Amino acid sequence: MNRRYPVSSAFVRRGPFATTTSTIRDGTATYVVFRPSHYMVLGFKSPIVTWGNGTNATPAMYTTMLSHFASYGFTVIATTLANTGSGREIAGAARYLVDADATSGSVFAGHLAVHEVAAVGHSQGATGAVRVASMDPRLITSVMT
């Protein structure tokens, strides 16, 4: 049986927004951020996606997907650690963006939907995403594994 899934089909093509990728260092943590290039053209505040890699993986292995999310207006922050199963690293990344939204002069200042934060991950990162959602449900409003 051949079924059509209209919601899935709607997101097969790249989204309408140009994207930018950058590396951010925050103390000892390093993150890769995939975001819309120009927040002002969105017409809405950008929801946050915090990403957890699979075991021994890096954000570079997921560039196509994470950039695809950004092309639909999401701001994605990916930890560069190879072990994200505890969820602490994923939570730290989300908190970094929530704080950056309130920091004058930050490229993110006033542009993020800080109450719309998804924890997303692959393999071990999926475990971390579920854990962070359980640990801090006020921060994480949705999970995708």
Side-chain angles (χ1 to χ4, degrees):
M1 178 185 321
N2 184 5
R3 294 183 188 205
R4 294 204 177 258
Y5 297 99
V7 172
S8 301
S9 298
F11 295 100
V12 170
R13 290 184 195 90
R14 188 164 176 81
F17 304 109
T19 63
T20 298
T21 303
S22 59
T23 300
I24 296 174
R25 288 175 180 73
D26 180 38
T28 60
T30 302
Y31 305 114
V32 179
V33 176
F34 303 81
R35 66 175 183 86
S37 297
H38 307 287
Y39 284 118
M40 299 306 284
V41 301
L42 292 181
F44 55 89
K45 289 193 176 206
S46 177
I48 297 169
V49 173
T50 181
W51 172 257
N53 302 312
T55 304
N56 295 321
T58 65
M61 299 167 128
Y62 305 98
T63 295
T64 300
M65 181 181 66
L66 301 179
S67 181
H68 192 79
F69 290 164
S71 76
Y72 280 93
F74 293 93
T75 297
V76 181
I77 186 163
T79 178
T80 58
L81 297 174
N83 296 305
T84 58
S86 74
R88 290 187 304 272
E89 306 80 6
I90 298 168
R95 285 189 196 99
Y96 173 85
L97 282 181
V98 168
D99 292 346
D101 181 72
T103 302
S104 179
S106 166
V107 67
F108 307 106
H111 297 296
L112 303 179
V114 297
H115 300 294
E116 296 176 11
V117 181
V120 181
H122 169 245
S123 191
Q124 181 188 167
T127 300
V130 170
R131 284 184 173 160
V132 70
S134 299
M135 292 184 301
D136 197 346
R138 290 183 310 188
L139 174 65
I140 304 300
T141 58
S142 59
V143 176
M144 183 171 82
T145 60

